[in-house]
């Protein structure tokens, strides 16, 4: 049992993050971040690219994410600090490499709130076609930024309400589709292997589809950002695994019944109009299954789920910038500041809101491709971090159990995420490599030509107001 010891907060402004999030609050934030209804938004696009085996793409992505989630659980317990992949690589391998992973991860953390904004914009444009889309973008950014600016607890509570509503609507949707399948519509059956494998499907196409849907799972690693706000840091590994398993189950069930109901993606392209496939297919799916009423309800659920994801993703990236700021990797006075009244990193919250305004000119497909680049880099290096921390630094490599836990398992996770990375869209690779190159240049500047390490944070000085447990021997299994 570790007795918390009061310490002075390191963060600028004298504020601290509060430990007020329980297990299910963290899981809810993770599931909200994952946006369960996104399976309908991207369904047409993924069905086209995989030749109608969307569930297979989700299954492959889920397997990859499970291995990585296990690695996240192990390393988050050994290094119980907010910061995710950036912190883990910095502590287990090298601060400079940690910076590069953090910089690369920023591309998905910063852009994911923009994805939510883009989806919300598409919903509202469909409902109110006479109102310019940029107005919805501005109003959305103001709303989300204001909520997170005021309180983290408010973010958690609102996120859970929106998440529950969206899942209830998805359950209703699944029941309606099952009833239609039993009446002979679509594939005419509720038990078929066709959504996973058929003569026209190829492994390459499934892998390509998996790279598209993998960004849907980003929420499971984002919950590590709340390590310093968890009531009990020991719950983090369980929260991470629960998030990925529950999220994966929701995606699989929804994708499976939808694929049976729509065996051919061309149903979403009437008259060969590809716009319905390239944009969100959620409204058209709702309309084809239940007419205008279900379309309206499903769109409302998608709106709520996307807003929940927007709250969670916006809050998470604000805290990632906080970690980089308090390490003085980014200017500490601004990025490391915590408002002593609201207990939130207000500068970062407002900055992310401003960046989300870029949703006005960009498209969903392009932003999603860039997000996958950063996410898969982060996932790969978290697996590497487990090997570096436990097998190399801690010497946990001499028994079969240790070899399996700290070399084989993370090694498989590393290979699987790498496999998805090489199958990324060319636009994702091009844009991602440019972003990485900019990060390398910035790193060279702040390290004076790589002659010194990026300034490290003293983990003994907690920003939560309590000592970390990292200096107390713990069971790291």
């Amino acid at each position: 049992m570790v007795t918390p010891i009061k310490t002075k907060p390191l963060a600028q402004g004298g504020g601290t993050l509060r430990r007020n999030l329980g297990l299910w609050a963290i899981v809810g934030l993770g599931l909200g971040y994952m946006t369960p209804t996104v399976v309908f938004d991207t369904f047409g696009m993924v069905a086209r690219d995989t030749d109608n085996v969307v569930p297979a793409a989700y299954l492959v992505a889920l397997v990859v994410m499970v291995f990585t989630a296990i690695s996240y659980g192990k390393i988050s317990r050994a290094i119980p600090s907010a910061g995710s992949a950036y912190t883990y690589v910095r502590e287990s391998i090298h601060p400079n490499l940690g910076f590069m992973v953090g910089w690369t991860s920023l591309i998905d953390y910063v852009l994911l709130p923009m994805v939510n904004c883009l989806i919300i914009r598409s919903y509202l444009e469909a409902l109110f076609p006479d109102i310019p889309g940029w107005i919805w973008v501005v109003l959305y950014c103001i709303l989300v930024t204001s909520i997170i600016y005021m309180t983290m607890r408010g973010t958690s509570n609102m996120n859970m309400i929106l998440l529950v509503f969206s899942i209830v609507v998805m359950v209703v949707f699944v029941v309606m589709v099952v009833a239609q399948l039993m009446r002979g519509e679509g594939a005419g059956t509720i038990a078929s292997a066709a959504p996973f494998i058929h003569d026209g499907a190829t492994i390459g196409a499934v892998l390509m589809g998996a790279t598209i849907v993998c960004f849907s799972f980003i929420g499971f690693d984002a919950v590590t950002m709340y390590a310093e706000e968890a009531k009990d840091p020991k719950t983090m590994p369980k929260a991470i695994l629960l998030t990925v398993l529950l999220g994966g189950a929701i995606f699989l069930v929804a994708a499976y019944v939808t694929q049976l109901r729509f065996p051919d993606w061309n149903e979403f392209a009437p008259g060969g109009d590809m716009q319905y496939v390239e944009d969100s297919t959620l409204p058209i799916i709702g309309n084809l299954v239940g007419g205008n009423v279900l379309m309206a309800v499903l769109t409302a659920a998608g709106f709520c789920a996307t807003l929940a994801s927007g709250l969670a993703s916006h809050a998470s990236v604000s805290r990632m910038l906080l970690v980089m700021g308090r390490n003085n990797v980014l200017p500490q006075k601004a990025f490391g500041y915590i408002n002593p009244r609201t207990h939130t990193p207000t500068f970062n919250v407002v900055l992310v809101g401003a960046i989300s305004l870029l949703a006005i000119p960009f498209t969903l497909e392009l932003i999603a491709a860039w997000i996958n680049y950063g996410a898969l880099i982060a996932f790969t290096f978290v697996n590497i971090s487990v090997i570096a921390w436990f097998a190399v630094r801690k010497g946990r490599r001499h028994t079969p159990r240790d070899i399996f836990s700290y070399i084989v398992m993370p090694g498989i996770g590393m290979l699987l995420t790498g496999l998805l990375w090489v199958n990324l869209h060319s636009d994702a690779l091009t844009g991602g490599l440019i972003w990485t190159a900019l990060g390398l240049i910035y790193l060279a500047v702040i390290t004076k030509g790589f002659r010194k390490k990026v300034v490290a944070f003293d983990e003994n000085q907690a920003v939560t107001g309590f000592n970390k447990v990292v200096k107390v021997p713990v069971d790291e299994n």
Side-chain angles (χ1 to χ4, degrees):
M1 180 70 181
V2 179
T3 302
I5 302 173
K6 292 283 186 178
T7 61
K8 294 181 179 179
L10 176 70
Q12 296 292 315
T16 62
L17 299 174
R18 288 177 173 173
R19 287 197 176 278
N20 60 2
L21 298 179
L23 172 64
W24 290 107
I26 296 173
V27 172
L29 284 166
L31 291 176
Y33 202 136
M34 292 168 75
T35 322
T37 55
V38 76
V39 63
F40 303 124
D41 291 307
T42 60
F43 189 88
M45 185 193 313
V46 179
R48 177 196 61 192
D49 293 345
T50 62
D51 195 16
N52 302 304
V53 286
V54 176
Y58 273 105
L59 183 60
V60 170
L62 176 59
V63 170
V64 175
M65 296 306 119
V66 165
F67 277 96
T68 303
I70 293 172
S71 290
Y72 266 104
K74 291 173 181 176
I75 199 71
S76 68
R77 186 174 180 182
I79 308 174
S81 171
S84 194
Y86 158 67
T87 300
Y88 304 146
V89 175
R90 175 173 61 82
E91 294 298 319
S92 64
I93 304 176
H94 194 278
N96 289 350
L97 183 59
F99 169 84
M100 288 305 302
V101 172
W103 178 271
T104 306
S105 298
L106 276 176
I107 198 171
D108 62 273
Y109 284 110
V110 171
L111 294 182
L112 191 57
M114 195 189 305
V115 165
N116 297 311
C117 189
L118 284 166
I119 294 174
I120 291 290
R121 185 192 72 184
S122 68
Y123 292 162
L124 292 174
E125 283 180 331
L127 293 173
F128 307 99
D130 295 331
I131 298 178
W134 68 266
I135 293 179
W136 301 122
V137 172
V138 172
L139 292 177
Y140 169 85
C141 290
I142 292 174
L143 173 65
V144 171
T145 302
S146 298
I147 292 172
I148 300 172
Y149 185 97
M150 295 306 299
T151 172
M152 180 61 210
R153 170 53 63 186
T155 303
S156 175
N157 291 340
M158 181 168 289
N159 172 83
M160 189 63 72
I161 293 171
L162 297 175
L163 176 66
V164 170
F165 172 72
S166 63
I167 290 178
V168 168
V169 174
M170 291 182 72
V171 170
V172 173
F173 170 84
V174 169
V175 171
M176 291 183 65
V177 170
V178 169
Q180 291 178 2
L181 291 172
M182 294 179 68
R183 292 198 302 265
E185 298 184 48
T189 178
I190 59 173
S192 173
F196 295 95
I197 185 172
H198 56 72
D199 291 340
T202 64
I203 295 177
V206 171
L207 288 175
M208 179 66 73
T211 64
I212 297 174
V213 304
C214 72
F215 88 93
S216 303
F217 288 86
I218 292 176
F220 89 83
D221 75 301
V223 302
T224 59
M225 295 294 182
Y226 305 110
E228 295 184 33
E229 291 160 277
K231 292 179 180 177
D232 182 0
K234 293 181 180 179
T235 65
M236 289 308 299
K238 184 184 295 185
I240 293 167
L241 193 56
L242 277 174
T243 300
V244 72
L245 290 176
L246 289 175
I250 292 170
F251 289 140
L252 274 175
V253 171
Y256 176 74
V257 298
T258 305
Q259 190 70 83
L260 287 176
R261 178 62 180 79
F262 303 102
D264 186 356
W265 64 268
N266 285 290
E267 293 183 66
F268 304 124
D273 188 350
M274 296 300 293
Q275 179 182 354
Y276 293 98
V277 176
E278 295 170 356
D279 292 339
S280 171
T281 47
L282 183 145
I284 193 171
I285 287 174
N287 185 56
L288 292 174
V289 171
N292 291 332
V293 173
L294 183 61
M295 180 179 71
V297 174
L298 192 61
T299 300
F303 184 95
C304 290
T306 304
L307 180 56
S309 177
L311 290 169
S313 60
H314 195 129
S316 289
V317 70
S318 299
R319 278 146 183 79
M320 184 173 189
L321 294 172
L322 169 66
V323 172
M324 299 183 78
R326 71 186 182 187
N327 292 349
N328 210 28
V329 173
L330 296 174
Q332 188 182 67
K333 188 173 182 179
F335 290 91
Y337 174 81
I338 294 179
N339 190 308
R341 182 175 61 85
T342 63
H343 300 277
T344 56
T346 50
F347 174 82
N348 299 337
V349 170
V350 173
L351 176 63
V352 175
I355 293 174
S356 296
L357 290 173
L358 294 175
I360 294 173
F362 282 110
T363 63
L364 176 60
E365 186 175 7
L366 179 59
I367 298 301
W370 285 344
I371 285 174
N372 290 334
Y373 175 89
L376 289 173
I377 289 291
F379 295 162
T380 300
F381 274 94
V382 166
N383 285 296
I384 295 174
S385 294
V386 172
I387 299 174
W389 180 268
F390 292 101
V392 178
R393 285 182 176 267
K394 301 299 181 181
R396 305 288 295 273
R397 58 180 183 274
H398 302 297
T399 67
R401 180 182 178 184
D402 285 348
I403 291 173
F404 179 77
S405 297
Y406 305 125
I407 297 178
V408 175
M409 289 289 286
I412 293 174
M414 178 184 66
L415 291 174
L416 290 175
T417 51
L419 181 63
L420 292 185
W421 191 85
V422 299
N423 281 278
L424 281 172
H425 192 281
S426 59
D427 289 342
L429 290 174
T430 301
L433 289 173
I434 291 173
W435 177 256
T436 301
L438 292 174
L440 190 62
I441 294 171
Y442 180 60
L443 178 62
V445 172
I446 63 177
T447 58
K448 300 185 183 302
F450 306 108
R451 292 194 297 270
K452 67 175 186 177
K453 297 178 182 177
V454 177
V455 177
F457 170 67
D458 182 359
E459 292 290 343
N460 297 317
Q461 301 180 47
V463 297
T464 55
F466 295 94
N467 254 1
K468 298 285 196 308
V469 298
V470 291
K471 295 200 73 175
V472 180
V474 295
D475 181 8
E476 294 174 336
N477 290 319

